[in-house]
């Protein structure tokens, strides 16, 4: 029963056959339950089941058949495949679980890291907030107390520097400040006192306007190859071009000419592309500009990036500035807001080059460097191209590391000035001397209650660069502005209407370059009056003289038309004043030439304006520009109503805006009647920069109209700063070839070609000093290859050229040395002995002048001391001891006389004493820099050898100097202490008690010296022979009585103006038979005839007697 229950229970629990492994072969069927005893007898079904069991048993006991064996193999393979699949599923499940666990770990780690970053950013934000507050407090402090700062790019801060200061009244300091109409107030800082402005930056992403104020060019904005370093080559070659070695000099000039030609080609190529792409958007330009802010932002305008020292500007707040191939390009259109119009900006760019030429001589002498600059006129635009300069030096760039290391090695510190301070002091001294040489008046301005002295002009950019050179740029306003005339055509006229440099060179009174601006300084009224007087002299004296000169050269040719401008400029007359020249002339030829020049310049401006509009519209075809030029020419030469209106209305209106009183030239004629149209067309072609296939008049005759196809070409016009003119490059190359060739005939031919080329350059630049020097060198060298008479003529021509250059660059050491060599060559070819001696003496004087100038320049820079050298040429040939003040090459002098150089510095006097004690005679009379320190140095070096010293008029001397002179007790014989008014009895008494070898004493003009000190002279100086006590009124005759008795060799007495001396001393001289030879007692009012009789009868050796009485 239990088994039956279990069996029944098993069926009820699982209605399906159970397996152990899940495979079909492992199925075990449970047996049927056993029959019970009391069950029914088996039925047919049961019998059938028994038979089945027997059959099954029989089948199992039989041997396997082929089909059965295959079935078993199939079952085993199927079972094995299922097991492998189950195992793969289990492995895959484990891998999924591992990946899931790793993902959960990474998510957890990232969450922890983010939490740390968030925490760090919170702490950083707290620190930045603290820094922001500190920087804001610091900026507020900087505005109140100005401090200097540096910039990252010195070449592009000229415009930004103009925005560094403003008037306290709120007006623009560059605006017109007429002292007759308004008061010039003080200046104040705009932002942080950084008057140099900010730098520039290139864009880091396409399509984004540059925002940072840093100069950091990227490869996207400039080509990816190393460009030529124009500035380094230019400055090096310019330095070599001043060498005294002519072979080296002209080799440098030839290389300089080649470099300038290459620079010109690059400027034309890149500048033309910049102009052609000016209308394009930023992302479409092949040369992308940098960002230069129009106006610097105030503190209230700073954004969140102020902590990172970044300033962000919108599209309308920046100016495009191009830097490519190490050349900095500026377009006149970008600064039109400052100057009033692009045309005015172009004039300011031209003034920059004029200023370079004006101060180049003085700047080169003082080692101030100019950048290589050119002006490009193309399609109505004017581009100023400047070689990129190195960045402004930081104090760390000028540290003397070797000196600091040596001091640190021994444990010492440097108490002297560091390299930065020395460089700034030297730069300041150089600038001051340049201002004096070009006759500019220094003026003082106040910015934020602090005074600053301006030596040149307020916005001139002068700095020490990282290459340790001193640079000067931004000089357009060094040429002083003309006074305003009312009614004024524009409020910005004073920014670009300046005097010619040729006129400023004739000034005798220093002029303020900042006149009529907010930077004029304290003496604004006096400085403005000087400028007004100069303008009056130009109009009333110079222009009438120029008109008379023109009348003697006038003709109807194009050559005279071209020379008209040269003549006006040579005499300092601006073209805008040429109408006044026409007023003073009675020659109609001159008036016609002036009218033609005025009309040509007006038409040039009109044509450039039209070309500029074409570029701004985005039209780049040459046909459009040629069409505009043809239309303008048709307005001039045509007979249509438009042409009549052009001559009757448009021309007079344009002339009245551009020139001063154009009606002066017109008088009773019309403009069209005065102008010769054929010459007018040629002049317009020259000024505007295009050329016609035929002459304009011929084209008009053939078809009454000029077409665009008649325009042959439109070409760019280039002007260089001409410190070394490009036109003399060919001549310099011929001179260089002459030096390199050994054959005499080749040298003579090359020098002849050089003279021909340089003479042509002199026609363009008649007074350019470098051309004059090169031409003089050519004549000097060719004289060595010529016969006697031709050689003398060449030397005379060279001397005239050198002297002409010396007038442009006074005291230039190179020219002085060349004149000395020329005088030596003239002496070699002279025949008369007196002429030879005179020429050699002149050569020696030039060499002395050169050496002294070189020393003076170096010493003035180091000691901030000025010195005039006009006296050098007055020195006698025997007084060559003064050479020692110049250089260490001269030594072992026994006599030095500084009486003719009263401004020589203390260091020069001390250095002239030499290292060895051999000096015997020293004269420092009237030297204002002789102090107690200098006298002590003199005594220390020359106490054992000096026999004569003259300290007269050294008013800075005191008791310490007199006490130091006691050390001259061994050999000093002559002592001169005239007009040292601070001397008293005690110090002189002690001095006379020490110096027993004195035989000549001069104490002239000492009002505090009395008889008390004078009595020590005969008491301690028995060898006395000469005594000068003139104008020492408190010395009486008792001193002379003692001298007559105690000094048997006394021979010379000068007592002029000693009214306390009577006849008694002279009676003593006669009684003692003193060997007097010279007596001067002028002004001794107590003298009687008895004294004269005693001298005449007893002192028979007297050869000179002065009794003159002067009221």
């Amino acid at each position: 029963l239990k088994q039956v229950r279990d069996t029944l229970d098993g069926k009820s629990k699982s209605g399906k056959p159970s397996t152990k492994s899940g495979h079909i072969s492992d199925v075990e069927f449970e047996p049927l339950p056993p029959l019970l005893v009391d069950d029914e007898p088996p039925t047919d079904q049961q019998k059938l089941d028994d038979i089945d069991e027997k059959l099954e048993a029989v089948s199992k006991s039989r041997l396997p058949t082929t089909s059965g064996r295959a079935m078993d193999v199939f079952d085993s393979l199927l079972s094995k495949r299922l097991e492998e699949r189950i195992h793969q599923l289990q492995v895959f499940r484990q891998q999924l679980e591992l990946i899931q666990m790793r993902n959960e770990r990474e998510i957890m780690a990232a969450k922890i890291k983010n939490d740390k970053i968030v925490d760090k950013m919170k702490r950083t934000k707290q620190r930045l907030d603290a820094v922001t507050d500190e920087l804001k407090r610091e900026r507020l402090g900087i505005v109140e107390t100005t401090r200097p700062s540096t910039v990252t790019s010195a070449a592009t801060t000229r415009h930004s520097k103009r925005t560094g200061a403003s008037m306290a009244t709120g007006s623009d300091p560059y605006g017109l400040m007429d002292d007759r109409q308004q008061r010039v107030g003080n200046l104040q800082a705009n932002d942080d006192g950084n008057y140099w402005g900010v730098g520039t930056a290139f864009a880091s992403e396409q399509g984004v306007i540059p925002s940072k104020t840093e100069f950091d060019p990227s490869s996207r904005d400039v080509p990816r190859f190393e460009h030529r370093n124009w500035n380094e080559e230019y400055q090096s070659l310019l330095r070599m071009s001043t060498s005294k070695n002519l072979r080296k000099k002209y080799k440098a000039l030839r290389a300089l000419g080649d470099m300038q030609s290459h620079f010109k080609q690059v400027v034309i190529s890149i500048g033309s592309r910049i102009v052609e792409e000016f209308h394009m958007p930023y992302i479409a330009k092949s040369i992308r500009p940098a960002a230069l802010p129009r106006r610097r932002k105030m503190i209230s305008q700073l954004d969140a990036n102020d902590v990172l020292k970044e300033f962000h500007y919108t599209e309308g707040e920046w100016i495009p500035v191009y830097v490519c191939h190490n050349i900095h390009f500026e377009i006149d259109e970008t600064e039109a807001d400052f100057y009033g119009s692009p045309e005015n900006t172009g004039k300011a760019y031209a003034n920059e080059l004029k200023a370079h030429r004006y101060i180049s001589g003085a700047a080169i002498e003082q080692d101030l460097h100019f950048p290589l600059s050119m002006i490009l006129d193309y399609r109505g635009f004017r581009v100023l191209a400047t070689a990129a300069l190195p960045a402004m030096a930081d104090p760390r760039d000028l540290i003397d590391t070797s000196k600091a290391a040596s001091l640190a090695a021994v444990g010492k510190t440097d108490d002297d000035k560091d390299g930065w301070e020395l460089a700034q002091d030297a730069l300041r001294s150089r600038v001051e001397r340049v201002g004096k040489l070009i006759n500019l008046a220094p003026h003082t301005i106040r910015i934020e209650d602090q005074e600053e002295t301006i030596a040149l002009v307020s916005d001139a950019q002068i700095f020490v660069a990282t290459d340790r050179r001193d640079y000067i740029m931004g000089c357009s306003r060094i040429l002083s502005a003309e006074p305003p005339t009312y009614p004024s055509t524009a409020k910005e006229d004073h920014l670009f209407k300046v005097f010619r440099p040729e006129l400023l060179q004739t000034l005798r009174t220093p002029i303020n370059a900042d006149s009529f601006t907010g930077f004029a300084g304290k003496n604004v009224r006096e400085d403005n009056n000087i400028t007004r007087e100069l303008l009056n002299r130009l109009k009333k004296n110079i222009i009438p003289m120029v008109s008379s000169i023109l009348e003697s050269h006038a003709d109807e040719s194009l050559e005279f038309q071209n020379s008209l401008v040269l003549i006006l400029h040579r005499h300092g007359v601006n073209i805008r004043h040429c109408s006044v020249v026409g007023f003073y002339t009675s020659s109609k030829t001159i008036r016609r030439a002036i009218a033609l020049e005025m009309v040509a310049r007006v038409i040039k401006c009109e044509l450039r304006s039209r070309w500029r509009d074409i570029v701004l519209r985005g039209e780049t075809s040459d046909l459009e520009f040629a069409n505009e030029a043809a239309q303008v020419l048709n307005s001039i030469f045509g007979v249509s109503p438009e042409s009549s209106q052009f001559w009757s209305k448009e021309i007079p209106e344009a002339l009245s805006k551009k020139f001063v009183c154009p009606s002066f030239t017109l008088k009773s004629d019309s403009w069209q009647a005065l102008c010769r149209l054929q010459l007018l067309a040629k002049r317009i072609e020259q000024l505007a920069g295009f050329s016609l296939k035929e002459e304009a008049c011929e084209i008009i005759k053939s078809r009454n109209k000029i077409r665009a196809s008649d325009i042959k070409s439109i070409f760019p016009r280039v002007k260089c700063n001409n410190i070394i003119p490009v036109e003399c490059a060919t001549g310099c190359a011929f001179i260089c070839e002459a030096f390199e060739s050994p054959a005499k005939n080749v040298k003579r031919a090359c020098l002849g070609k050089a003279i021909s080329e340089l003479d042509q350059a002199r026609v363009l630049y008649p007074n350019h000093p470098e051309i004059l020097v090169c031409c003089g060198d050519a004549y000097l060298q060719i004289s060595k290859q010529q016969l006697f008479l031709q050689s003398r003529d060449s030397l005379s021509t060279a001397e005239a050229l050198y002297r002409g250059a010396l007038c442009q660059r006074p005291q230039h050491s190179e020219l002085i040395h060349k004149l000395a060599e020329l005088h030596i060559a003239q002496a070699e070819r002279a025949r008369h002995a007196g002429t030879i001696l005179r020429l050699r003496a002149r050569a020696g004087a030039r060499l002395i002048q050169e050496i002294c100038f070189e020393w003076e320049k170096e010493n003035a820079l180091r000691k901030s001391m000025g010195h005039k050298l006009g006296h050098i040429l007055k020195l006698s040939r025997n007084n060559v001891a003064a050479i020692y003040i110049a250089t260490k090459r001269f030594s072992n002098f026994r006599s030095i006389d500084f009486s003719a150089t009263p401004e020589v510095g203390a260091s020069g006097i001390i250095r002239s004493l030499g290292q060895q004690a051999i000096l015997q005679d020293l004269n420092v009379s009237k030297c204002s820099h002789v102090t107690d320190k200098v006298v002590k140095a003199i005594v220390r070096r020359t106490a054992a050898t000096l026999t004569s010293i003259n300290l007269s008029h050294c008013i800075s001397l005191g008791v310490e100097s007199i006490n130091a002179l006691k050390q001259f007790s061994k050999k000093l014989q002559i002592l001169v202490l005239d007009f040292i008014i601070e001397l008293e009895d005690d110090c002189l008494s002690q001095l006379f008690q020490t110096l027993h070898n004195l035989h000549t004493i001069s104490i002239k003009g000492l009002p505090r010296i009395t008889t008390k000190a004078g009595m020590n002279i005969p008491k301690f100086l028995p060898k006395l022979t000469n005594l000068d006590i003139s104008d020492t009124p408190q010395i009486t005759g008792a001193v002379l009585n003692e001298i007559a008795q105690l000094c048997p060799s006394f021979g010379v007495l000068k007592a002029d103006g000693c009214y306390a001396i009577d006849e008694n001393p002279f009676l003593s001289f006669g009684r003692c038979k003193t060997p007097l030879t010279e007596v001067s007692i002028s002004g001794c009012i107590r003298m009687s005839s008895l004294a004269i009789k005693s001298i005449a009868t007893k002192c028979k050796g007297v050869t000179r007697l002065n009794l003159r009485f002067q009221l």
Side-chain angles (χ1 to χ4, degrees):
L1 292 176
K2 183 177 180 181
Q3 187 178 1
V4 173
R5 293 190 190 98
D6 293 336
T7 302
L8 293 174
D9 292 337
K11 285 185 177 182
S12 64
K13 291 179 181 180
S14 59
K16 295 181 180 180
S18 61
T19 61
K20 295 179 180 181
S21 61
H23 194 269
I24 191 65
S25 61
D26 294 333
V27 177
E28 294 182 359
F29 293 93
E30 294 180 357
L32 294 173
L35 294 175
L36 298 179
V37 178
D38 53 354
D39 286 344
E40 296 179 1
T43 60
D44 296 335
Q45 183 63 38
Q46 291 177 352
K47 293 178 180 179
L48 182 60
D49 292 337
D50 292 338
I51 293 170
D52 291 335
E53 290 177 0
K54 291 178 180 180
L55 289 174
E56 183 178 1
V58 172
S59 61
K60 288 182 179 181
S61 61
R62 288 187 309 172
L63 294 175
T65 61
T66 303
S67 59
R69 189 181 296 115
M71 183 63 68
D72 293 338
V73 171
F74 179 79
D75 293 342
S76 63
L77 290 175
L78 182 59
S79 176
K80 186 176 180 180
R81 182 62 177 171
L82 289 175
E83 289 178 357
E84 291 177 356
R85 185 60 178 169
I86 291 170
H87 180 70
Q88 289 178 357
L89 293 175
Q90 292 175 352
V91 172
F92 182 71
R93 181 178 181 182
Q94 291 177 358
Q95 291 177 352
L96 289 177
E97 292 177 353
L98 181 61
I99 293 173
Q100 188 175 9
M101 292 175 63
R102 287 178 179 176
N103 290 338
E104 292 177 356
R105 184 188 180 283
E106 290 177 358
I107 292 172
M108 184 64 66
K111 182 178 179 182
I112 295 173
K113 185 177 180 180
N114 291 335
D115 293 340
K116 291 182 179 180
I117 293 174
V118 171
D119 182 65
K120 186 176 181 180
M121 292 181 64
K122 289 181 180 179
R123 288 185 280 110
T124 304
K125 183 177 180 301
Q126 294 176 358
R127 289 197 298 268
L128 289 176
D129 292 339
V131 172
T132 302
D133 296 338
E134 183 178 356
L135 286 176
K136 288 182 178 179
R137 291 193 299 269
E138 182 181 356
R139 287 181 181 275
L140 292 175
I142 291 174
V143 172
E144 297 175 358
T145 58
T146 307
R147 67 178 183 182
S149 60
T150 60
V151 295
T152 55
S153 175
T156 54
T157 59
R158 175 172 54 83
H159 180 78
S160 297
K161 184 181 176 182
R162 296 172 182 159
T163 64
S166 62
M167 301 295 296
T169 57
S171 58
D172 185 5
Y174 283 89
L176 178 62
M177 300 290 176
D178 193 345
D179 58 289
R180 296 178 178 178
Q181 298 184 0
Q182 58 197 41
R183 180 177 177 272
V184 180
N186 293 334
L187 300 171
Q188 65 181 8
N190 262 359
D191 191 4
D192 56 357
N194 181 6
Y195 304 133
W196 290 103
V198 294
T200 59
F202 284 93
S204 57
E205 297 180 3
Q206 294 186 359
V208 179
I209 296 175
S211 58
K212 295 184 179 180
T213 60
E214 301 173 356
F215 181 76
D216 186 18
S218 64
S219 58
R220 298 182 181 181
D221 301 309
V222 293
R224 298 183 179 180
F225 56 87
E226 186 175 355
H227 308 299
R228 190 169 183 176
N229 193 340
W230 304 102
N231 179 71
E232 183 63 30
E233 291 186 35
Y234 180 70
Q235 304 301 339
S236 300
L237 293 175
L238 198 62
R239 185 71 175 175
M240 292 172 59
S241 66
T242 60
S243 174
K244 296 176 184 178
N245 187 342
L246 294 182
R247 184 185 300 272
K248 183 178 178 181
K249 171 184 175 179
Y250 283 99
K251 187 176 180 181
L253 286 177
R254 182 172 62 178
L256 190 61
D258 296 339
M259 191 208 70
Q260 287 183 330
S261 299
H262 185 201
F263 184 80
K264 178 180 178 181
Q265 296 173 2
V266 175
V267 167
I268 292 175
S269 176
I270 299 178
S272 301
R273 189 193 307 175
I274 291 174
V275 171
E276 292 169 357
E277 298 177 352
F278 188 77
H279 66 283
M280 295 183 180
Y282 179 81
I283 58 175
K285 295 182 179 181
S286 61
I287 301 177
R288 297 189 182 91
L292 189 65
R294 291 185 183 272
R295 294 290 177 184
R296 299 168 60 204
K297 293 189 175 182
M298 305 295 289
I299 293 178
S300 59
Q301 298 173 319
L302 297 177
D303 49 25
N305 290 320
D306 180 38
V307 177
L308 303 178
K309 297 181 179 179
E310 296 180 359
F311 295 81
H312 292 267
Y313 296 86
T314 60
E315 185 174 2
E317 297 178 337
W318 68 289
I319 297 174
V321 178
Y322 299 83
V323 179
C324 186
H325 285 259
N326 282 336
I327 303 176
H328 174 264
F329 296 89
E330 295 179 74
I331 304 181
D332 55 2
E333 188 74 24
T334 59
E335 291 191 290
D337 294 341
F338 183 78
Y339 290 104
S341 67
E343 181 183 353
N344 299 342
T345 306
K347 293 179 181 179
Y349 289 168
N351 293 338
E352 180 83 12
L353 301 191
K354 294 176 187 176
H356 285 188
R357 293 194 292 269
Y358 176 44
I359 67 176
S360 60
I364 291 174
E365 292 175 10
Q366 302 302 326
D367 291 333
L368 284 177
H369 299 81
F370 286 96
L372 176 60
S373 303
M374 284 189 180
I375 286 179
L376 171 68
D377 292 325
Y378 183 64
R379 291 187 174 181
F381 286 83
R382 173 161 285 186
V383 181
L384 177 63
T386 306
L389 299 182
M392 183 182 297
D394 190 83
R396 293 171 296 180
D397 299 328
L398 303 178
I399 294 176
D400 190 350
T401 55
S402 60
K403 180 179 179 181
S406 60
L407 291 174
V410 297
K412 295 183 179 180
T413 59
D414 188 7
D415 295 331
D416 299 332
K417 292 184 177 180
D418 56 11
W420 174 258
E421 294 177 346
L422 291 175
Q424 294 299 319
D425 293 343
L427 177 60
R428 189 178 302 108
S429 178
R430 287 189 176 101
V431 172
E432 290 175 356
R433 289 186 56 77
V434 167
K436 292 179 181 178
L437 290 173
I438 63 177
N439 210 18
L440 290 183
H443 50 286
T444 303
I445 61 176
R446 291 185 64 87
I447 300 180
E448 296 291 336
D449 298 330
Q450 293 186 2
E451 293 188 352
E452 181 179 354
T453 301
I454 306 298
L456 297 178
V457 69
S458 58
D459 58 352
Q461 190 176 353
I462 309 166
F463 61 95
V464 182
T466 53
D467 60 357
R468 296 177 180 263
R469 291 191 182 103
D470 298 334
Y471 289 94
I472 177 172
M473 57 186 302
C475 322
S476 61
R477 290 184 54 250
I478 282 182
L479 306 174
S480 183
E482 285 189 4
T485 56
Y486 300 99
S488 178
T489 56
K491 62 179 181 179
E492 300 89 0
D493 284 354
H494 62 289
L495 296 177
F496 60 89
K497 287 187 177 180
V498 297
F499 291 110
R500 291 286 308 177
E502 295 84 357
L503 179 63
L504 296 177
Q505 289 175 350
T506 64
L507 283 177
R508 296 182 179 180
T509 305
I511 191 170
N512 187 349
D514 276 322
S515 298
F516 302 101
T517 65
F519 303 101
K522 297 179 180 179
N523 302 325
V524 56
R525 188 174 296 274
E526 293 80 1
D527 294 338
N528 289 353
N529 287 335
I530 293 174
T531 309
R532 294 187 180 99
E533 292 175 0
L534 178 61
L535 181 61
N536 291 334
R537 185 164 70 90
L538 173 66
K539 292 182 178 180
K540 296 180 180 179
N541 299 338
I542 297 177
I543 289 180
M545 178 192 68
V546 173
S547 64
S548 61
I549 294 174
L550 289 174
E551 289 179 355
S552 61
H553 295 82
D555 57 32
E556 301 288 340
S557 63
L558 180 62
E559 289 75 12
F560 173 72
Q561 191 67 41
N562 295 331
S563 63
L564 172 66
V565 178
L566 295 178
I567 294 174
L568 293 177
H569 286 173
R570 188 184 305 172
H571 293 86
V573 181
N574 301 89
I575 295 298
R576 59 178 170 272
H577 295 297
C578 63
S579 59
V580 185
V581 179
F583 173 77
Y584 283 101
T585 184
S586 58
S587 172
K588 189 172 183 178
T589 303
I590 301 298
R591 292 195 298 112
R592 289 170 66 90
I594 293 175
L596 188 147
E597 186 68 26
M598 295 168 63
V599 172
R601 290 182 178 268
V602 166
I603 295 174
K604 174 202 70 174
C605 295
E606 174 64 21
L607 182 57
R608 285 184 176 178
S609 177
R610 296 187 182 186
W611 283 352
R612 190 183 298 113
D613 293 339
I614 293 175
V615 174
L616 295 178
R617 290 198 305 264
E619 300 175 3
T620 59
S621 174
D622 292 339
L623 185 61
E624 296 292 336
F625 299 95
N627 189 26
E628 287 293 339
Q631 291 181 9
V632 172
L633 293 177
N634 289 326
S635 301
I636 299 172
F637 298 100
V639 292
S640 61
E642 292 80 5
S643 178
S644 301
Q645 184 180 4
F646 182 78
W647 281 103
S648 62
K649 184 178 180 181
E650 296 182 11
I651 289 292
E653 291 179 357
L655 289 171
S656 62
K657 295 179 181 179
K658 190 174 180 63
F659 295 94
V660 178
C661 299
S663 58
F664 286 172
T665 302
L666 187 62
K667 293 187 177 179
S668 59
D669 298 320
S670 65
W671 292 110
Q672 190 172 8
L674 281 177
C675 294
R676 298 185 296 275
L677 298 183
Q678 184 175 359
L679 294 180
L680 178 61
K682 294 181 179 180
R683 187 60 179 156
I684 293 173
E685 291 180 33
Q686 293 176 353
L687 295 175
F690 70 91
S691 61
L692 293 170
K693 295 180 180 179
E694 302 178 22
E695 291 188 1
C697 295
E698 298 294 332
I699 298 174
I700 292 295
K701 288 181 181 179
S702 62
R703 57 172 178 268
N704 296 327
K705 186 177 182 181
I706 298 176
R707 299 173 182 174
S709 58
D710 296 326
I711 306 297
K712 182 179 180 180
S713 63
I714 298 175
F715 53 86
R717 300 176 70 246
V718 178
K719 296 180 182 178
C720 186
N721 54 5
N722 279 343
I723 296 177
I724 302 292
V726 180
E727 288 76 7
C728 66
T730 306
C732 295
F734 278 120
I735 297 176
C736 187
E737 291 292 336
F739 280 113
E740 295 177 354
S741 176
K744 292 185 178 180
N745 56 344
V746 176
K747 285 187 176 181
R748 191 182 302 111
C750 290
L751 291 173
K753 287 286 187 180
I755 291 174
S756 177
E757 293 289 338
L758 293 172
D759 286 340
Q760 293 179 8
R762 285 173 56 197
V763 174
L764 298 176
Y765 307 98
N767 297 322
H768 198 288
E770 194 61 39
I771 297 180
L772 296 176
V773 171
C774 293
C775 198
D777 289 341
Y779 277 105
L780 180 61
Q781 295 301 317
I782 203 173
S783 66
K784 301 177 183 179
Q785 313 294 331
Q786 292 174 335
L787 299 177
F788 181 76
L789 294 178
Q790 295 177 346
S791 176
R792 292 181 62 176
D793 293 339
S794 298
L795 290 176
S796 299
T797 305
E799 183 179 5
L801 292 169
Y802 286 151
R803 290 183 180 275
L806 195 61
C807 293
Q808 303 294 326
R809 293 179 178 176
Q811 301 297 344
H812 197 275
S813 58
E814 179 193 1
L815 293 176
I816 296 171
H817 184 81
K818 289 180 182 297
L819 279 173
E821 291 182 349
L822 186 139
H823 293 322
I824 294 173
Q826 288 176 333
E828 293 175 353
R829 291 163 176 78
R831 296 178 177 179
H832 192 270
T835 304
I836 295 173
L837 183 62
R838 177 175 55 83
L839 290 172
R840 291 189 178 277
R842 191 181 297 175
R846 290 294 186 183
L847 291 174
I848 293 173
Q849 184 182 6
E850 177 201 2
I851 295 172
C852 293
F853 174 72
E854 289 292 338
W855 169 85
E856 183 269 346
K857 182 175 67 173
E858 178 184 358
N859 189 72
L861 293 177
R862 292 183 178 178
K863 305 298 181 182
S864 299
M865 181 271 299
H867 182 52
K868 297 179 181 179
L869 297 175
H871 61 276
I872 294 294
L873 296 179
K874 300 179 182 179
L875 293 178
S876 63
R877 286 176 292 160
N878 296 326
N879 192 11
V880 295
I883 302 176
Y884 187 77
I885 67 175
T887 174
K888 293 181 179 179
R889 291 180 295 175
F890 296 89
S891 59
N892 301 329
F893 282 98
R894 299 183 182 276
S895 176
I896 297 179
D897 185 2
F898 287 103
S899 60
T901 57
E903 297 181 4
V904 66
S907 61
I909 296 174
I910 295 173
R911 198 173 87 177
S912 66
L913 302 176
Q915 300 297 329
Q916 300 177 359
I918 62 173
L919 186 64
Q920 296 180 0
D921 184 7
L922 178 62
N923 186 352
V924 291
S925 174
K926 300 181 181 180
C927 293
S928 57
H929 296 282
V930 175
T931 59
D932 294 339
K933 181 180 178 180
V934 176
V935 173
K936 290 180 181 179
I938 294 173
V939 172
R940 185 168 58 253
R941 293 194 182 186
T942 63
T945 60
L946 198 66
T947 60
S948 174
I949 186 170
N950 187 343
L951 300 174
S952 60
H953 295 274
C954 297
I955 59 177
S956 300
L957 299 182
V959 179
E960 296 181 6
S961 300
I962 304 303
N963 293 334
L965 293 177
K966 296 178 183 179
Q967 301 181 27
F968 286 126
S969 58
K970 295 182 180 180
K971 291 190 177 182
L972 191 63
Q973 299 175 4
I974 301 174
L975 177 64
V976 181
L977 302 175
D978 298 341
F979 298 102
I980 307 177
I981 59 178
E982 298 296 331
L983 297 184
E984 297 180 353
D985 287 337
D986 294 337
C987 59
L988 274 187
S989 299
Q990 295 176 8
L991 182 63
F992 292 149
Q993 293 174 16
T994 307
L995 305 178
H996 301 293
N997 295 322
L998 287 178
H999 61 71
T1000 300
I1001 299 176
S1002 178
I1003 51 175
K1004 181 180 179 180
L1006 303 181
R1008 299 185 181 183
I1009 302 302
T1010 64
T1011 305
K1012 176 182 177 181
M1015 293 300 290
N1016 289 283
I1017 296 176
K1019 184 177 180 179
F1020 297 99
L1021 305 175
K1023 301 179 182 180
L1024 185 67
T1025 59
N1026 297 350
L1027 178 64
D1028 187 354
I1029 55 174
S1030 302
D1031 298 324
T1032 308
Q1034 298 192 47
I1035 294 182
T1036 62
V1039 176
L1040 300 182
N1041 285 329
E1042 293 294 323
I1043 291 175
Q1045 298 176 17
L1046 300 178
C1047 300
S1049 302
F1050 186 75
V1052 178
L1053 173 64
K1054 295 181 180 179
D1056 300 334
C1058 296
Y1059 52 82
I1061 297 177
D1062 53 9
E1063 69 274 13
N1064 292 329
F1066 297 95
L1067 296 177
S1068 299
F1069 285 135
R1071 187 167 52 252
C1072 298
K1073 297 182 179 181
T1074 304
L1076 289 175
T1077 58
E1078 180 178 351
V1079 178
S1080 179
I1081 49 176
S1082 174
C1084 296
I1085 58 178
R1086 300 181 62 182
M1087 199 64 58
S1088 64
S1089 59
L1090 187 61
I1092 307 302
K1093 183 177 180 181
S1094 176
I1095 294 174
T1097 56
K1098 300 295 180 66
C1099 302
K1100 296 184 179 181
V1102 175
T1103 58
R1104 183 178 180 184
L1105 179 62
N1106 182 14
L1107 301 175
R1108 183 174 53 186
F1109 180 77
Q1110 296 179 354
L1111 294 176

